Each structure stands twice: as C-alpha cells, then as structure tokens.
Amino acid sequence: MHTPHRYQIQHPNGQTTAYMYDSFVDPWRPAETILIQHGFARTAEHFYHWVPVLARRYNVIRRELRGHGQSSCPLPGQNYDYSTGTILEEIKDTLDQLGIQRVHFLGESTSGILAELFAATYPDRVHSVIVCS
C-alpha cells in the first residue's frame, strides 16, 4: 500500500508550505509534472484518488495552501502580506526549490483562478492550465 508523505518547504518570508509528491513513472522515462492546487477548505488529501492514474504518467505535486493542511498559518503580528502576489510567489518558490521548471497546473475550485494568474504571471513555467470546479 502506498502511504503518502508530506514534505515541507520554507519560503524566504518564513512561512512553510506542505506538499505531497507521487510518481510511479518508469524511472527510465522522462516525465512532466502536474501541480495540483486544492481550493478553499481542502487539503492535498482531497486528490488522493487521482494519484494512481496521474502518477503513472506524471510526477504529481499536491501542494497545500497557506493555512490549510500542514502548511503554516501566519500568526497575528507577523505582518504577512496575504495577497495573490504573495501566493503566486510562494508557488513559484515551491517549484524553484524542487527544481521544477514547468508544470501542468491543475487548480481546483478557488485555486482555478490561481492557476490562471500563475500562467499569466509566469507563462514560461506552465505547460497547461486545468481548471476543475
């Protein structure tokens, strides 16, 4: 049985992002990456049932939004800039730290708009955008 493991990335602003990584691609085959970003009030586990199908052909990153799952939640007085610009920069930093240049960005629910904004802001980092709602 495959048990997913959460990893943590710390961003320059001090916040941490939790993510899950799954890949069952044959190790001798190159594989593109799908970044799955859940919507409001969900976690990376929401997409657990998608992993077997997607991870056979793609590397799959399931990232947790700020304040969701095991990603950090800014404390009062931390002066965190909770804006789309900050969220997009944290997504980009996640990819940078993982050494991933381009992704298929799947944004679910409210993160559909994040997928669209990310593609508009960083078009060289996106193969495709999938909005699931």
Side-chain angles (χ1 to χ4, degrees):
M1 176 162 90
H2 173 69
T3 304
H5 178 77
R6 275 190 178 81
Y7 301 93
Q8 296 275 334
I9 286 179
Q10 183 161 8
H11 300 291
N13 63 13
Q15 297 298 317
T16 59
T17 291
Y19 70 94
M20 294 177 163
Y21 172 82
D22 296 282
S23 181
F24 301 111
V25 177
D26 295 329
W28 56 86
R29 294 182 188 218
E32 294 177 344
T33 300
I34 295 177
L35 171 67
I36 300 177
Q37 184 62 77
H38 65 80
F40 182 72
R42 290 188 181 46
T43 67
E45 290 164 337
H46 182 74
F47 293 95
Y48 182 75
H49 60 288
W50 292 30
V51 169
V53 173
L54 294 176
R56 184 67 185 113
R57 196 164 161 224
Y58 299 92
N59 301 316
V60 178
I61 305 290
R62 294 178 283 154
R63 183 182 176 279
E64 294 187 316
L65 285 171
R66 180 75 36 246
H68 291 71
Q70 292 183 13
S71 288
S72 63
C73 183
L75 299 173
Q78 279 189 316
N79 201 26
Y80 179 76
D81 177 24
Y82 215 127
S83 66
T84 54
T86 299
I87 296 167
L88 296 178
E89 183 56 37
E90 289 177 355
I91 293 170
K92 179 182 167 296
D93 185 55
T94 299
L95 298 178
D96 289 347
Q97 289 193 45
L98 295 176
I100 299 169
Q101 183 56 39
R102 296 182 80 180
V103 296
H104 298 278
F105 196 134
L106 189 157
E108 183 263 340
S109 187
T110 53
S111 286
I113 199 73
L114 289 178
E116 293 169 352
L117 289 169
F118 189 84
T121 306
Y122 305 108
D124 58 323
R125 303 300 298 266
V126 177
H127 288 295
S128 67
V129 169
I130 305 110
V131 177
C132 175
S133 186

